Amino acid sequence: MSVAAVGEFGLIERVTARLPVGPATLLGPGDDGAVIAAPDARVVASTDVLVEGRHFRRDWGSARDIGHRAAAANLADIAAMGAAPTALLVALCMPPELELSWAEELADGLAAEAGAIGASVVGGDMSASPTLTIAVTALGDLGGRAPVRRGGARPGDVVALAGRTGHAAAGLTVLSRGFRTPRLLVEAYRRPEVPYAAGPQAAALGATAMIDVSDGLLADLGHVAKASGVAVDVRRDAFEVPPQMRDAAQALGADPYDWLLGGGEDHALAATFPPDVELPAQWRRIGVVTPGSGVTVDGAGYAGSPGWDHFR
């Protein structure tokens, strides 16, 4: 059965019935707007869009996988501000012939990713479109903390990373070459493992700057460096190449460090901290902030791509 067969309102009923209500939701789907609790009196908001053929392919993952990815891309931005995610708003534009079950499973993936951290999908919009497009807006609560911005890094700060990099990029390369293994890498592309709790944790520890690594570690640290008016130097030896990634790189003729340093969509969190901060186990030091500008690796420019650019 297609989405056109049940119609807009039938589809809305089927989808909203699959969306559990999170603790911050005072009024969920069904009215002109949702009502979300904001105990902090400030709301962190971020939005992202996924376009079929540009950001995902249906033959590379299930609808549930794509739902997880779409939610994670937005929820990670909230965590990168030092906030706890509370809600998602989703706009779905789809071809009328799209299978109804695909849209329902997409909703399941969105709800599952959000629900795992206490957030929920509270509303959105649907429309017919020749191109399948998923636009997500995420909301979050700062819990009394100041937001951690990109522009606060200072010379002498340490650069630290929570989560993994390179796995999703390696998985994308594997899929684009027509393979489905190693499973570790392919699953990393399909469903990112985002260290959501590390965002508020970093804020509480006094992080001076933070960013979600969505486009590539070096590219995203470049945003921090530019916003802060500093330079960032990353240590190559801070990154261990997993055996599956090493084997895949050898088979595909790739450099695994291009994935680790320039690959996006794992949604790790990169932050800078004062040098005297004792970092918990979830965070590992990968570099240092220095006077100057730009991002270097072991004190030198990096020859590979620093990350993804949507218009190149």
Side-chain angles (χ1 to χ4, degrees), residues 30-34:
D31 282 83
D32 288 340

Side-chain angles (χ1 to χ4, degrees), residues 4 40 49 104 118 194 224 232 265 283:
D40 183 84
V49 64
E104 292 176 328
V194 185
V224 171
V232 171
E265 295 193 307
W283 289 90

Side-chain angles (χ1 to χ4, degrees), residues 52-235:
E52 184 175 22
R54 183 66 173 174
H55 302 99
F56 68 91
R57 282 176 42 171
R58 279 184 273 170
D59 59 328
W60 284 357
S62 68
R64 186 182 290 266
D65 291 333
I66 295 167
H68 276 273
R69 290 187 66 224
N74 289 269
L75 297 169
D77 284 333
I78 301 300
M81 295 296 294
T86 56
L88 293 178
L89 296 161
V90 182
L92 179 59
C93 302
M94 68 207 102
E97 65 273 13
L98 182 74
E99 299 88 347
L100 174 61
S101 61
W102 196 95
E104 292 176 328
E105 290 171 15
L106 175 74
D108 291 341
L110 288 160
E113 186 71 22
I117 53 172
S120 57
V121 181
V122 298
D125 193 19
M126 295 181 182
S127 177
S129 169
T131 303
L132 180 56
T133 304
I134 309 160
V136 182
T137 296
L139 307 177
D141 184 76
L142 286 164
R145 298 174 295 273
V148 184
R149 302 176 61 185
R150 300 178 179 183
R154 301 182 294 265
D157 284 353
V158 300
V159 182
L161 185 73
R164 62 192 186 185
T165 62
H167 289 63
L172 173 61
T173 304
V174 167
L175 288 166
S176 67
R177 301 287 183 90
F179 302 105
R180 295 295 184 269
T181 57
R183 187 174 180 83
L184 171 71
L185 306 180
V186 171
E187 290 303 317
Y189 169 78
R190 289 173 174 164
R191 297 193 188 187
E193 294 182 2
V194 185
Y196 297 112
Q201 180 187 55
L205 288 170
T208 54
M210 186 157 49
I211 193 168
D212 160 41
V213 182
S214 57
D215 294 329
L217 179 64
L218 299 185
D220 288 321
L221 284 176
H223 300 318
V224 171
K226 182 177 181 180
S228 300
V230 297
V232 171
D233 186 56
V234 174
R235 298 194 335 265

